[in-house]
Amino acid sequence: MLSLTLELGESSTVVRCVSPSFTVTVSDYMHDDDVHDDGGASAARLLFRDEQHHRIIIVEPPQGLDSQKLRERIAKISHVMRDDRNSARYSHVFEDEHDSGSVADVGGVIVAVLSRLGLLDALLCDDADFADCGNGGDSDSATNVADDIKVPGSASNRVRRPAAPAKARHRWSKEVSTIEFHVDYKGVRATVRWLARNQMLVLKGATMLDRAPLNKDGSLGFSARFAEQMRREHAAEFKSFKTTTDILLKSVNEVGLFLYFGGTNSWLVLKDDDGRSIHDWTVVS
């Protein structure tokens, strides 16, 4: 039987597997202190983003495994499961022994675990319909974790994860694409348009926060490092922390990370001329 341990933090969930050996950390964008980190970005570490739920999913696979091949395997399995949500439970994976440590075996187990946590859509967000990204997949997986997830020190050594509170979903529309939303946060000023489901345009002349906030121990958090990477990719498009051309990003969360390193709910930060937030315009009831 697949043996997992589950650690529930204030803003993160950590799942550890012994065989095959891997760790999955699900953490809010805005909280880095609870993310188990080795102080540097690991080449083997896989990152997935749950855009709608404002979370990052970090997968640390077994050492020596080809991370690129593993990512491709995870993507392939996820896409096969797209049209058959019931298969996302992958019951046999939790019952079988896993000794091979192959990319195929590890990939299947990782997808099964993420599916049980309601994170299948996070693996599909790159090309899935934006409105569906992060909606939790099948109706049961978001609230029911496998019975065989074990918590150290528990009397019964078994636990069901408590039902997660409902989280807002947002839907793009042609009407929203015509609206200019403004950022006025921590000295950052910007005008943003939501052009398409996965296209956010930051208009030329936006100001950016010049320095990333640090963790309590003085280190640069995971979200901040991700934001710094985004800035390096767009280095030719801003000068002295002011954009010199329009910049295209993928989501509201990326806008917040790029401009001010996140740290707040950006759906409430972006507002139209009348002060109505992009959340109010697009939330799905």
Side-chain angles (χ1 to χ4, degrees):
M1 179 178 290
L2 187 65
S3 178
L4 304 173
T5 61
L6 177 67
E7 301 171 14
L8 298 176
E10 180 180 354
S11 58
S12 68
T13 299
V14 181
V15 179
R16 303 183 190 278
C17 182
V18 176
S19 179
S21 175
F22 65 84
T23 301
V24 173
T25 301
V26 183
S27 178
D28 295 346
Y29 272 107
M30 61 287 293
H31 298 291
D32 295 294
D33 292 336
D34 290 332
V35 177
H36 293 257
D37 198 352
D38 58 8
S42 170
R45 182 174 292 173
L46 304 180
L47 168 68
F48 302 94
R49 283 173 289 160
D50 183 352
E51 301 287 3
Q52 291 297 85
H53 287 184
H54 308 252
R55 297 177 296 191
I56 54 175
I57 299 97
I58 307 164
V59 177
E60 299 181 57
Q63 292 185 354
L65 209 63
D66 189 318
S67 58
Q68 181 58 37
K69 288 183 178 179
L70 179 59
R71 176 179 285 277
E72 292 171 357
R73 182 66 180 177
I74 289 173
K76 182 176 181 179
I77 297 173
S78 301
H79 282 81
V80 168
M81 291 164 56
R82 181 204 296 270
D83 297 325
D84 184 8
R85 294 294 180 167
N86 287 332
S87 68
R89 290 182 174 81
Y90 255 75
S91 298
H92 67 279
V93 171
F94 292 88
E95 298 170 357
D96 296 344
E97 296 289 336
H98 302 275
D99 298 320
S100 68
S102 67
V103 167
D105 188 33
V106 175
V109 175
I110 288 174
V111 173
V113 170
L114 291 175
S115 298
R116 289 286 184 99
L117 293 174
L119 295 171
L120 176 61
D121 283 325
L123 306 180
L124 299 170
C125 273
D126 285 344
D127 54 9
D129 184 87
F130 187 91
D132 292 333
C133 289
N135 66 6
D138 56 274
S139 60
D140 294 331
S141 63
T143 56
N144 294 311
V145 176
D147 284 341
D148 47 10
I149 287 182
K150 300 177 181 179
V151 178
S154 169
S156 66
N157 215 22
R158 292 177 181 268
V159 65
R160 280 191 181 273
R161 189 181 184 185
K167 296 192 177 184
R169 295 178 57 222
H170 302 90
R171 189 180 302 277
W172 174 86
S173 67
K174 289 185 178 180
E175 180 184 15
V176 169
S177 69
T178 65
I179 301 171
E180 289 190 343
F181 294 95
H182 309 288
V183 174
D184 184 357
Y185 179 73
K186 288 188 175 181
V188 172
R189 304 286 188 275
T191 299
V192 181
R193 291 181 59 194
W194 192 357
L195 299 182
R197 285 189 293 266
N198 61 347
Q199 293 183 355
M200 301 290 301
L201 188 68
V202 179
L203 300 185
K204 174 183 176 180
T207 58
M208 306 158 59
L209 196 64
D210 60 349
R211 189 174 302 174
L214 301 177
N215 288 335
K216 293 177 182 178
D217 62 0
S219 65
L220 197 63
F222 187 88
S223 296
R225 293 203 302 274
F226 180 69
E228 292 282 15
Q229 178 182 333
M230 290 175 58
R231 290 188 172 196
R232 286 193 293 271
E233 293 171 356
H234 294 276
E237 298 167 281
F238 67 91
K239 184 177 182 180
S240 300
F241 303 104
K242 186 172 184 178
T243 60
T244 56
T245 186
D246 294 348
I247 296 178
L248 196 63
L249 300 174
K250 290 183 178 181
S251 69
V252 169
N253 292 317
E254 281 201 0
V255 169
L257 286 168
F258 180 77
L259 292 176
Y260 46 82
F261 300 97
T264 189
N265 186 346
S266 294
W267 291 95
L268 302 180
V269 171
L270 276 67
K271 298 180 180 180
D272 66 11
D273 292 334
D274 298 321
R276 186 180 180 187
S277 71
I278 193 170
H279 165 82
D280 294 330
W281 272 101
T282 62
V283 67
V284 179
S285 58

